Amino acid sequence: MADPAEDREDLIAESALPVAESSTVTTPANTSSTITTKSSAKRNAFAELMAPKPKAPVSQAPQSLASKASQVIRGVWRGALIEYIEHPERFPDQVLRVTDKTVLIKDAFPKATIHLLLLPRSPDHYLVHPHTAFKDPAFLAMMREEAAVASKLAAAELARRLGSFSARNRARNEAMDKGVPFDELPPGRDYSKEIRVGTHAHPSMAHLHVHIISRDMHSYRTRHRKHYNSFNTPFFVPLADYPLAEDDVRRETGFQNGNLAKELVCWRCGKGFGNRFAELKRHLEEEFEEWRA
């Protein structure tokens, strides 16, 4: 089955994973029961190679996560997130929080100032597509609770990094400098409102993961349109929206392929940039300066 709504470059750029050496995965060639007679025309291998391949129907269901787990593309094992799930102690620089139910890690290729991944540890769920896994009410409730904790950590880190630039934090910062007790400090900027929580409609990696990401999209790792649109169109499905109805258009591969190919629009001011990604990146630098202030 073809991989719908997926970019092979994103597989490398979006995964927070160690890259292990691996041999190329091969698949058996298709066989045919048709018997070729001597009178059959000799096959032209080059013509067959160059012939247009049939396209998958736009309504095709997304490839299951389990079927991706053993695949290798450009040296990256798509099942590599299992290493964080089973052996989080091996990655002290990337793992932020471990419970018996989840592991929270930093995305090694962040698409914003803060970008974390929340990984469930349940074997009954981590190889299941999020649209299906989140039909389980108990599992969904658990992931929402864990995501809430992760969001607080993300907001606190965003405040630590950017709080000194914000006008809304000025009175609070000045009071802190004067030694005012913590419980008497004036309120500052609510950075929890700048954190988004959700999944991609068609994840590249094999194991279920929830993105905890700041709103800004300020990162040199955001390198092309699909990187940007995967977080700024309905391709990004908020965790709060689950479970999705069976007729929800966000389940449809054709719809999501269209979202990834959409013209670029600034997340903050709504200005359109067509296909001019470099121009959008320059604009996002300006927006970031204003947003953090």
Side-chain angles (χ1 to χ4, degrees):
M1 184 181 293
D3 275 345
E6 187 169 66
D7 180 1
R8 293 192 173 192
E9 288 185 24
D10 293 346
L11 177 60
I12 297 175
E14 288 197 18
S15 58
L17 53 92
V19 179
E21 290 188 5
S22 175
S23 58
T24 302
V25 176
T26 59
T27 54
N30 293 332
T31 58
S32 174
S33 58
T34 304
I35 299 175
T36 304
T37 64
K38 292 182 179 179
S39 60
S40 298
K42 185 176 180 181
R43 292 190 305 169
N44 185 322
F46 180 77
E48 290 185 9
L49 178 64
M50 299 303 294
K53 304 298 185 293
K55 294 183 178 179
V58 295
S59 60
Q60 176 180 313
Q63 183 181 14
S64 71
L65 300 193
S67 68
K68 296 181 178 182
S70 63
Q71 295 179 3
V72 177
I73 294 179
R74 296 183 184 174
V76 178
W77 174 36
R78 299 219 282 188
L81 291 180
I82 191 64
E83 295 297 318
Y84 295 101
I85 295 170
E86 294 185 343
H87 305 289
E89 71 283 354
R90 296 179 181 175
F91 309 100
D93 293 336
Q94 280 185 268
V95 173
L96 299 176
R97 184 171 184 267
V98 180
T99 72
D100 59 337
K101 297 177 180 178
T102 60
V103 177
L104 180 67
I105 67 175
K106 294 183 288 186
D107 194 315
F109 298 88
K111 301 303 185 292
T113 300
I114 303 295
H115 190 177
L116 313 178
L117 300 180
L118 181 65
L119 314 175
R121 307 186 78 179
S122 166
D124 292 334
H125 298 94
Y126 60 49
L127 280 178
V128 181
H129 192 284
H131 295 351
T132 302
F134 292 140
K135 288 181 180 180
D136 181 338
F139 177 68
L140 177 57
M142 181 277 292
M143 288 295 286
R144 282 178 173 167
E145 290 178 4
E146 292 291 313
V149 174
S151 294
K152 289 182 180 179
L153 293 174
E157 177 61 12
L158 194 62
R160 186 188 71 81
R161 294 193 194 183
L162 304 183
S164 62
F165 297 95
S166 177
R168 276 178 282 173
N169 271 3
R170 187 166 298 134
R172 184 180 178 88
N173 292 336
E174 290 175 353
M176 290 176 65
D177 291 341
K178 294 176 181 178
V180 175
F182 184 81
D183 57 356
E184 297 178 14
L185 291 173
R189 182 172 178 173
D190 184 1
Y191 282 96
S192 66
K193 294 180 179 179
E194 312 291 357
I195 303 298
R196 305 170 68 215
V197 179
T199 69
H200 282 151
H202 300 298
S204 294
M205 300 305 294
H207 293 84
L208 193 156
H209 54 283
V210 174
H211 296 270
I212 316 290
I213 186 169
S214 56
R215 175 69 274 193
D216 54 281
M217 297 302 295
H218 184 257
S219 172
Y220 78 95
R221 295 288 186 180
T222 303
R223 292 174 173 169
H224 53 66
R225 177 166 57 179
K226 288 184 179 179
H227 281 164
Y228 184 81
N229 280 347
S230 68
F231 287 99
N232 292 279
T233 69
F235 192 86
F236 185 80
V237 183
L239 188 62
D241 288 3
Y242 282 104
L244 298 184
E246 292 300 323
D247 61 350
D248 194 311
V249 70
R250 289 173 292 181
R251 290 178 174 271
E252 297 179 8
T253 299
F255 172 75
Q256 295 296 10
N257 280 332
N259 281 321
L260 291 181
K262 276 184 176 179
E263 293 189 353
L264 298 161
V265 176
C266 173
W267 68 268
R268 190 165 183 263
C269 71
K271 181 179 179 180
F273 290 86
N275 298 325
R276 303 183 303 278
F277 183 74
E279 188 175 335
L280 171 67
K281 284 286 286 184
R282 289 192 292 271
H283 176 78
L284 289 178
E285 288 291 330
E286 298 172 359
E287 290 287 7
F288 176 75
E289 295 297 325
E290 295 184 12
W291 171 77
R292 73 175 183 173

